[in-house]
């Protein structure tokens, strides 16, 4: 390979890596006598792919920032085809660095995240969205800094397949939900990917780990990421909250772009380790020593907090922190000693105390019953025995018939029965037979507040306070609970017979909803959640106003009349909004979009196109052609200048 020279200038030396659409080589720039990385496109690609490859090279070359991999040149070899020349980073990928430093302290993750956000800040400020941020595309040079590579290039094949076939390919774990659902992307999509990377650095796993791409895609679209501070106890709260915000399913809830993300991470790093630039410099001078220092500090913090929780009897919370400390120092004798010595939870103690107390009461009750029965038998047969009858005071004799049926009487010692007078006003209790019949009445059900019961096996929903409305697509809550006055009767309501629906389910209609793409479901102006997670919505009988809302689609509204007990199904396809494109071209030039003529310049009206990538071209009177690729966003207006701009 050392004899192969691309375009008469770049001598290939060795292969560094191979991807889905290109191979990367280490090469020598014969003109400038420096080593470079050359990305050569795989043979057999069509002309449109080559044009997009060239355009992405131009975009990347326009970004000049210390945290962005520098692009030196773009060309085409007669044998190899199109190629891209970048600076050669002597170091490793972020994936390799994370494996070497694992477990990565949150302080280190924050510093790395700040460096990565600065690269996105530079890109987003120029309107460039990366679309494929992942650890393999982040390079860490020896001595620093961190550099983001493959600006949009690695995502080209994925984007084309996604828009042409609807198939989801590529790095699913780092894709934002809106990309998986509709193919839409924005700076907030890159922010989501950074959130996944930060989560993975701190925990060793991505937020949505699933078996197979289909399971993973559904999880990303329908489930909230677990809070970082719960998965990695001891993570500083402000940093954990920022990562959680980056991982919001609704892009509107995330930092809007790399500019805002860089500012947020800069504040987090400042709070955790001091000035970000100085912390970054110290880290890259010695990553292992820097990470080890923060691991030790975190270990001591977890140990101190765990010991403090143990002293207050909070054994369960202490165990979580101490187990996290063991991941930093496996086999630590100090941590293991604290775990062995930790007291059982107060709830367990209380439960055992209740069990022991109840057992003692039961034993005493049974013993008293036996003795009372023996004593009564002795009274009934006194004429047949040689023993003298027991003499009772008159007051006790008057109270005896009722007292024998009371708990107090059953727990009295019969040996002192004749010596102790009855209480002047004994408390009244229902007879044993009455108590037994009431117990039998509820033995087949679960007691409820207000004296009612639910048949055994009846499923009960969560409390009303637990059914909060979601803030992102695919929320767990599927419908808000009806008003309490309608959902259940008064406290004296009797239990329904077995086999009949519970009272709160009677008298309502059910709306079954399926939409494509996702939508927020509103009923009478109130949000009921997001599809695809929301499946059924309970409605009161009557007419309701339904609205299905997705920022990239036309709002769909309708009136729906339902009757009690009715089930209505709605399977809807929302119309994705067209993008409006204003095309400027030399006067008299014919204007084409994706090879189809749309008019002659100047065009009087914007051209409406589908969301995604399009090829724009203008052919002048002399036959000259100007061609550009642009990605347009549904519902937004884009200007394309083909040489006739204002």
């Amino acid at each position: 390979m050392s004899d192969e020279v691309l375009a008469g200038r770049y001598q290939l030396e060795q292969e560094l890596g191979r991807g889905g659409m290109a191979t990367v080589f280490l090469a020598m720039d014969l003109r400038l006598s420096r080593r470079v990385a050359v990305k050569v496109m795989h043979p057999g690609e069509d002309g449109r792919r080559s044009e997009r490859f060239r355009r992405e090279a131009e975009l990347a070359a326009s970004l000049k920032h210390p945290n962005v991999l520098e692009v030196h040149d773009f060309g085409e070899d007669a044998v190899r085809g199109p190629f891209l020349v970048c600076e050669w980073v002597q170091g490793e990928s972020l994936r390799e660095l994370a494996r070497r430093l694992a477990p990565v302290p949150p302080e280190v993750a924050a510093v790395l995240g700040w460096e990565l956000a600065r690269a996105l800040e530079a890109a987003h400020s120029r309107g460039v969205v990366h679309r494929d941020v992942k650890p393999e595309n982040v390079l860490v040079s020896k001595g620093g800094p961190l550099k983001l590579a493959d600006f949009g290039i690695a995502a080209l094949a994925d984007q084309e397949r996604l828009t042409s076939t609807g198939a989801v390919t590529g790095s699913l774990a780092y894709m934002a939900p809106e990309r998986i659902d509709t193919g839409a992307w924005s700076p907030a999509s890159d922010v989501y990917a950074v959130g996944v990377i930060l989560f993975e650095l701190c925990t060793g796993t991505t937020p949505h780990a699933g078996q197979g791409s289909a399971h993973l895609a559904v999880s990303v679209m329908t489930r909230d990421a677990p809070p970082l501070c719960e998965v990695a106890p001891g993570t500083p709260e402000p940093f954990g909250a920022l990562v959680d915000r980056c991982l919001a399913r609704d892009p509107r809830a995330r930092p809007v772009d790399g500019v805002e993300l860089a500012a947020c991470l800069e504040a987090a790093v400042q709070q955790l380790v001091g000035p970000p630039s100085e912390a970054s410099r110290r880290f890259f001078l010695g990553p292992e020593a820097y990470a080890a220092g923060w691991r030790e500090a975190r270990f001591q913090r977890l140990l101190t907090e765990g010991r403090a929780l143990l002293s207050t009897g909070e054994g369960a919370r202490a165990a979580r922190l101490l187990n996290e400390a063991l991941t930093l120092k496996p086999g630590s004798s100090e941590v293991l000693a604290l775990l062995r010595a930790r007291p059982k939870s107060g709830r367990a103690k209380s439960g055992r105390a209740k069990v022991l107390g109840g057992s003692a009461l039961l034993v005493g009750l049974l013993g008293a019953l036996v003795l009372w029965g023996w004593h009564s038998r002795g009274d009934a047969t006194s004429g047949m025995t040689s023993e003298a009858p027991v003499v009772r005071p008159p007051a006790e004799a008057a109270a005896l018939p009722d007292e024998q049926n009371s708990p107090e009487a059953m727990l009295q010692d019969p040996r002192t029965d004749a010596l102790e007078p009855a209480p002047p006003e004994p408390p009244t209790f229902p007879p044993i037979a009455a108590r037994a019949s009431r117990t039998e009445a509820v033995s087949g059900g679960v007691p409820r507040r207000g004296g009612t019961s639910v048949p055994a096996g009846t499923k009960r929903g969560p409390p009303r306070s637990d059914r909060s409305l979601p803030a992102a697509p695919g929320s767990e809550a599927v419908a808000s609970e009806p008003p309490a006055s309608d959902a259940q009767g008064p406290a004296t309501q009797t239990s329904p017979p077995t086999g009949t629906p519970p009272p709160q389910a009677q008298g309502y209609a059910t709306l079954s909803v399926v939409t494509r793409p996702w939508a927020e479901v509103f009923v009478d102006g109130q949000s009921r959640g997001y599809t695809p997670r929301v499946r059924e919505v309970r409605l009161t009988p009557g007419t309701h106003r339904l609205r299905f809302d997705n920022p990239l689609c036309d709002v769909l509204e309708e009136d729906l009349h339902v009757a009690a007990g009715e089930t209505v199904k709605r399977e809807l396809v929302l119309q994705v909004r067209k993008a409006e494109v204003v095309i400027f071209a030399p006067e008299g030039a014919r204007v084409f979009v994706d090879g189809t003529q749309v008019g002659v310049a100047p065009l009087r009206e914007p051209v409406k196109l589908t969301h995604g990538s399009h090829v724009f071209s203008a052919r002048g009177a002399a036959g000259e052609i100007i061609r550009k690729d642009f990605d347009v966003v549904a519902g937004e207006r884009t200007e394309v200048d083909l040489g006739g701009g204002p």
Side-chain angles (χ1 to χ4, degrees):
M1 181 180 294
S2 59
D3 295 332
E4 186 175 1
V5 178
L6 289 181
R9 177 175 177 178
Y10 302 103
Q11 185 174 1
L12 304 184
E13 295 185 350
Q14 68 180 79
E15 183 177 318
L16 297 178
R18 183 181 294 266
M21 64 178 296
T23 301
V24 181
F25 297 93
L26 175 63
M28 173 63 72
D29 184 346
L30 300 177
R31 185 178 301 174
L32 299 178
S33 298
R34 63 177 178 181
R35 280 189 166 82
V36 294
V38 178
K39 176 172 287 190
V40 181
M41 197 171 183
H42 291 162
E45 304 291 355
D46 57 42
R48 183 177 177 182
R49 177 79 67 85
S50 300
E51 178 62 22
R52 295 188 64 186
F53 188 75
R54 180 197 60 77
R55 177 177 172 268
E56 294 295 341
E58 291 178 352
L59 287 176
S62 68
L63 301 176
K64 301 295 183 182
H65 192 274
N67 295 113
V68 175
L69 186 71
E70 186 175 355
V71 175
H72 297 318
D73 190 15
F74 173 82
E76 188 162 350
D77 183 74
V79 177
R80 290 274 190 174
F83 63 88
L84 180 69
V85 182
C86 308
E87 64 173 311
W88 177 43
V89 175
Q90 299 185 54
E92 58 191 337
S93 70
L94 182 59
R95 173 80 68 198
E96 295 166 332
L97 177 67
R99 288 172 180 165
R100 194 157 52 85
L101 300 182
V104 178
E107 295 80 5
V108 173
V111 171
L112 292 171
W114 174 69
E115 291 261 335
L116 182 54
R118 292 181 69 210
L120 291 178
E121 178 182 17
H124 294 167
S125 297
R126 295 183 60 87
V128 179
V129 180
H130 190 285
R131 291 180 287 168
D132 197 29
V133 179
K134 58 184 179 181
E136 288 77 8
N137 286 339
V138 180
L139 306 178
V140 183
S141 58
K142 293 180 180 179
L146 172 151
K147 291 181 179 289
L148 181 58
D150 263 348
F151 258 88
I153 298 173
L156 289 179
D158 167 51
Q159 180 68 13
E160 285 183 354
R161 295 190 191 102
L162 190 62
T163 55
S164 61
T165 68
V168 179
T169 60
S171 307
L172 273 176
Y174 304 91
M175 279 189 185
E178 63 271 17
R179 282 208 65 204
I180 298 175
D181 190 22
T182 65
W185 44 265
S186 68
S189 305
D190 286 347
V191 170
Y192 180 92
V194 175
V196 176
I197 290 175
L198 294 177
F199 188 99
E200 187 177 16
L201 287 173
C202 294
T203 66
T205 183
T206 55
H208 299 278
Q211 296 181 351
S213 58
H215 184 278
L216 178 58
V218 170
S219 179
V220 171
M221 292 172 59
T222 63
R223 296 180 182 176
D224 290 327
L228 176 58
C229 291
E230 291 185 8
V231 181
T235 299
E237 285 288 344
F239 178 66
L242 176 58
V243 174
D244 296 343
R245 185 182 166 202
C246 292
L247 293 173
R249 281 178 291 166
D250 188 343
R252 295 168 292 184
R254 304 175 205 144
V256 65
D257 56 16
V259 178
E260 183 180 352
L261 178 61
C264 292
L265 281 168
E266 182 175 356
V269 173
Q270 178 73 39
Q271 183 177 0
L272 292 176
V273 298
S277 57
E278 178 61 23
S280 176
R281 186 188 66 82
R282 294 199 310 269
F283 170 74
F284 287 117
L285 286 177
E288 294 85 354
Y290 188 91
W294 284 109
R295 268 197 301 271
E296 178 62 28
R298 187 179 181 215
F299 174 82
Q300 294 299 332
R301 184 170 65 248
L302 290 168
L303 197 63
T304 301
E305 293 178 6
R307 188 181 289 112
L309 290 173
L310 286 177
S311 66
T312 60
E314 299 183 70
R317 292 181 59 194
R320 291 186 69 237
L321 296 180
L322 294 174
N323 283 325
E324 183 69 15
L326 277 180
T327 64
L328 301 176
K329 285 189 178 181
S332 169
S333 58
E334 190 172 7
V335 175
L336 292 174
L338 289 173
L339 286 172
R340 294 191 191 101
R342 73 183 180 96
K344 301 301 180 182
S345 66
R347 183 178 299 176
K349 287 184 177 179
S350 174
R352 284 198 301 273
K354 290 179 180 179
V355 171
L356 291 175
S359 300
L361 181 63
L362 180 60
V363 171
L365 182 62
L366 291 175
L369 283 171
V370 172
L371 291 174
W372 172 73
W374 172 83
H375 183 69
S376 300
R377 183 174 179 271
D379 288 345
T381 59
S382 58
M384 299 174 62
T385 63
S386 59
E387 297 180 5
V390 176
V391 180
R392 300 180 184 277
E396 184 184 75
L400 183 61
D402 289 336
E403 279 189 354
Q404 286 179 340
N405 289 331
S406 68
E408 286 80 357
M410 287 186 284
L411 291 176
Q412 283 182 355
D413 189 341
R415 291 173 299 180
T416 61
D417 200 23
L419 302 178
E420 296 291 336
E425 293 182 5
T428 58
F429 294 88
I432 294 177
R435 293 200 305 272
S437 62
R438 187 171 65 181
T439 303
E440 292 170 358
V442 300
S443 62
V446 180
R448 297 179 61 185
R449 286 181 292 180
T452 62
S453 63
V454 178
T458 301
K459 294 184 178 180
R460 299 178 61 191
R464 291 175 54 82
S465 60
D466 293 340
R467 295 192 177 186
S468 57
L469 291 176
S475 172
E476 294 293 335
V478 297
S480 58
E481 187 75 9
S485 60
D486 296 334
Q488 56 186 8
T492 57
Q493 181 180 355
T494 58
S495 304
T498 303
T500 62
Q504 61 269 32
Q506 298 177 2
Y508 290 93
T510 301
L511 171 64
S512 176
V513 180
V514 177
T515 69
R516 180 67 185 172
W518 68 266
E520 185 174 6
V521 182
F522 291 87
V523 178
D524 300 327
Q526 180 184 6
S527 175
R528 294 296 188 92
Y530 294 78
T531 61
R533 186 61 184 176
V534 61
R535 295 294 185 186
E536 294 184 349
V537 178
R538 186 185 300 171
L539 302 175
T540 56
T543 302
H544 298 274
R545 185 65 173 174
L546 307 182
R547 187 171 88 249
F548 304 91
D549 194 359
N550 181 313
L552 294 180
C553 303
D554 292 331
V555 175
L556 181 60
E557 293 184 296
E558 64 173 301
D559 290 326
L560 178 66
H561 184 81
V562 293
E566 183 181 9
T567 298
V568 180
K569 294 185 178 180
R570 284 291 183 271
E571 296 186 4
L572 307 169
V573 177
L574 276 64
Q575 184 65 44
V576 179
R577 293 174 182 168
K578 298 289 187 179
E580 289 191 352
V581 184
V582 179
I583 305 176
F584 299 103
E587 187 173 357
R590 292 189 296 163
V591 180
F592 298 82
V593 176
D594 298 329
T596 301
Q597 182 172 332
V598 295
V600 177
L603 300 180
R604 296 182 178 181
E605 296 180 352
V607 178
K608 294 186 177 182
L609 301 173
T610 58
H611 176 88
S613 178
H614 297 275
V615 178
F616 301 87
S617 58
R619 183 186 297 272
E624 70 279 9
I625 298 177
I626 303 173
R627 179 179 300 155
K628 289 186 178 181
D629 277 12
F630 268 91
D631 294 305
V632 299
V633 179
E636 294 187 7
R637 173 172 286 206
T638 304
E639 293 185 355
V640 177
D641 186 1
L642 298 177

